[in-house]
Amino acid sequence: MMVKRYNYKEINGLKDLKQKQAELLLDQEHYEERLKDGVKTYIHQFSPGYIAKKYTRKPKEKAVSLFNKVKSWFGKKPKNLIERT
C-alpha cells in the first residue's frame, strides 16, 4: 500500500484548506472501499464451497459426489459387527 504524504505548509488560505480537505475525504473513501473489498474477499475464502468453486469446473457435482462418498463410509457396517448380532 502506498503511503501518501501531505505537506500542510502549502496551505495558505481557505481555498487551499478546502481543497486539501476534499482530497483527504476522497482518499479516506478510497481506503474504506479497499478495506471493505478486502474483508469481503477474506470472508468469501472461508465460505462453504469456496475451494470447490475455485478448483473444479462443476462444483455442485463435486460436492454431491464428495457427500455421497462420505455418506457411504458411514453407511457401511463392518462384516465382523454384522456376524456378532
Side-chain angles (χ1 to χ4, degrees), residues 22-37:
E23 186 179 339
L24 286 171
L25 288 173
L26 187 63
D27 288 346
Q28 179 185 357
E29 288 174 7
H30 288 302
Y31 177 74
E32 286 176 1
E33 288 299 317
R34 286 194 311 266
L35 188 61
K36 286 178 186 176
D37 290 342

Side-chain angles (χ1 to χ4, degrees), residues 71-84:
K71 184 178 169 184
S72 71
W73 293 341
F74 291 103
K76 294 179 183 177
K77 293 183 179 179
K79 288 182 181 180
N80 59 1
L81 190 70
I82 295 171
E83 292 172 1
R84 291 182 190 168

Side-chain angles (χ1 to χ4, degrees), residues 52-81:
K53 286 179 188 175
K54 184 169 176 131
Y55 295 107
T56 62
R57 286 186 220 140
K58 299 178 182 178
K60 185 176 180 182
E61 289 81 6
K62 190 73 170 179
V64 168
S65 67
L66 181 62
F67 175 76
N68 289 334
K69 187 172 187 174
V70 171
K71 184 178 169 184
S72 71
W73 293 341
F74 291 103
K76 294 179 183 177
K77 293 183 179 179
K79 288 182 181 180
N80 59 1
L81 190 70

Side-chain angles (χ1 to χ4, degrees), residues 1-2 5-6 10 12-14 16-17 20 26 34 36-37 39-42 44-45 50-52 54 56 65 68:
M1 184 168 88
M2 190 176 99
R5 305 236 181 225
Y6 296 98
E10 295 175 355
N12 296 320
L14 185 59
D16 294 337
L17 181 63
K20 193 60 76 173
L26 187 63
R34 286 194 311 266
K36 286 178 186 176
D37 290 342
V39 169
K40 285 179 186 175
T41 301
Y42 182 75
H44 174 71
Q45 288 177 347
Y50 171 75
I51 294 175
K54 184 169 176 131
T56 62
S65 67
N68 289 334

